[in-house]
Amino acid sequence: MDFLHIDDLTPDQLRSVLTRAMAVKRDPASVYDHLVHRSVGLFFQKPSTRTRVSAELAAAETGAHPVVLGQQEVGMGSREAPKDVAGVLDRYLDLIAMRVFDHQDLIDVATHAEAPVVNLLSDLEHPCQALADLQTIAEHRPFEGAVVAYVGDGNNVLHSLMVGATMLGMEVRVATPAGYEPDPAYVAKARRYGAVEVTNDPYAAVAGADVVYTDVWASMGQESEAEERARLFSPYQVDLRLFESAAGDAIFLHCLPAHRGQEVTDEVIDHPRSRVLDQAENRKHTFKALLLDLLE
Ligand code: CP
Ligand code: NVA
């Protein structure tokens, strides 16, 4: 099975990965040698801190052998076609995890590799991030009936979060500037599971929400648009006033890296109810649970 999209898991499988992640977090030693002699490739076409470190450690701490590869050495799409990279890596590795620009490259690799292929972020989705987001929400309150408000760019992180959250019984409210809404195909996908409201009004989205989430206004690969986006997105900054319009015990989430002073103010990201470091930590626990699910 590949994990390119959050809904490559059924809602029951998603719940079970999260339950396992919580068990692994409580007792890391319980899975120390579960994947001995298995090999996990971690390929990056874009920079990474959390994904690189958490995935490499998740593999090592379950006994697997991580092999980290960069685009400079592999040259996927320039030195070698994704199809050929897939065929070769498939002969060496038990699982191939990749961070790419073009989601189609992941599909091509998955088509030509028998090993499970995992999306470590593409232009369309960031499903491993969503696993950690969902674990962090579960640590705050029950999923059923929770309201998740996402403010900012309708991007890869939102796509996976929106579908994952509705799969687990949450309501999602999204506020973006006009023209930066999430892909309508993802809104439709999420609406098959639960309620999703898309608006251009950040206060309408955040009112009474249990979780307030934002991400950078310009994702990796969109650097040339950063200045224009900063102008357009400034009314969507998560500042204390906006955060305080959420529920009294609401938590703040951000996948990180954050651009302090742009999509979020210091007061909010450093707020006692900000859970961004738990979220980053949970990347490791959820990746372990995913590896165990795919390789055991
Ligand atoms: N959240 C996340 O994926 O961070 P990195 O880009 O540092 O891996
Ligand atoms: N949306 C961001 C997420 C980084 C983890 C990006 O794609 O750059």
Side-chain angles (χ1 to χ4, degrees):
M1 192 197 103
D2 300 312
F3 185 58
L4 306 186
H5 318 97
I6 190 73
D7 61 339
D8 288 342
L9 297 172
T10 64
D12 280 348
Q13 288 171 328
L14 178 56
R15 275 192 197 92
S16 116
V17 168
L18 294 172
T19 302
R20 186 131 204 211
M22 291 188 237
V24 163
K25 184 172 185 173
R26 279 192 302 272
D27 184 7
S30 64
V31 294
Y32 273 171
D33 55 359
H34 281 225
L35 299 177
V36 171
H37 301 311
R38 315 305 290 279
S39 53
V40 172
L42 304 168
F43 167 78
F44 292 90
Q45 250 182 4
K46 307 183 194 184
S48 172
T49 303
R50 282 142 288 268
T51 306
R52 156 78 202 260
V53 177
S54 63
E56 187 169 349
L57 289 176
E61 291 176 16
T62 48
H65 184 97
V67 180
V68 179
L69 295 156
Q71 170 66 0
Q72 269 195 318
E73 25 191 335
V74 177
M76 190 165 76
S78 49
R79 184 167 180 264
E80 207 164 14
K83 173 182 174 173
D84 294 323
V85 173
V88 171
L89 291 182
D90 196 36
R91 295 293 175 103
Y92 298 131
L93 298 165
D94 295 306
L95 182 142
I96 303 168
M98 293 190 150
R99 168 167 289 195
V100 298
F101 283 97
D102 185 352
H103 190 77
Q104 186 59 43
D105 284 350
L106 280 172
I107 309 260
D108 291 348
V109 170
T111 306
H112 294 99
E114 291 200 355
V117 176
V118 171
N119 180 358
L120 297 180
L121 179 147
S122 70
D123 53 348
L124 267 192
E125 283 215 29
H126 197 359
C128 293
Q129 179 66 51
L131 294 179
D133 302 342
L134 295 168
Q135 180 178 354
T136 313
I137 295 171
E139 290 168 348
H140 171 56
R141 57 152 289 161
F143 290 135
E144 204 58 45
V147 175
V148 179
Y150 177 99
V151 180
D153 185 26
N155 64 14
N156 46 6
V157 166
L158 171 62
H159 288 159
S160 299
L161 173 71
M162 191 166 72
V163 176
T166 50
M167 282 170 77
L168 298 176
M170 288 180 264
E171 177 189 332
V172 178
R173 298 193 211 132
V174 178
T176 73
Y180 294 87
E181 290 88 357
D183 183 333
Y186 274 88
V187 177
K189 214 195 245 217
R191 282 187 176 146
R192 287 208 292 269
Y193 296 106
V196 178
E197 185 191 330
V198 181
T199 168
N200 302 124
D201 177 353
Y203 280 89
V206 170
D210 300 292
V211 177
V212 180
Y213 199 123
T214 190
D215 184 15
V216 290
W217 292 336
S219 284
M220 291 181 277
Q222 297 173 331
E223 289 77 7
S224 64
E225 298 173 30
E227 220 170 289
E228 189 197 346
R229 283 172 174 253
R231 254 196 324 276
L232 276 170
F233 280 74
S234 64
Y236 295 83
Q237 181 183 67
V238 181
D239 58 14
L240 201 55
R241 186 167 152 251
L242 182 59
F243 185 52
E244 283 179 345
S245 71
D249 65 347
I251 58 168
F252 173 74
L253 298 181
H254 190 310
C255 58
L256 306 180
H259 292 158
R260 287 168 178 260
Q262 288 201 15
E263 74 273 8
V264 61
T265 60
D266 286 334
E267 282 173 319
V268 173
I269 197 168
D270 298 329
H271 193 280
R273 282 185 277 110
S274 168
R275 295 285 176 270
V276 298
L277 294 180
D278 293 333
Q279 219 181 332
E281 178 188 329
N282 288 339
R283 292 295 308 275
K284 186 173 81 164
H285 308 303
T286 47
F287 201 73
K288 279 185 191 173
L290 182 70
L291 289 180
L292 293 163
D293 200 57
L294 294 174
L295 289 177
E296 250 184 350

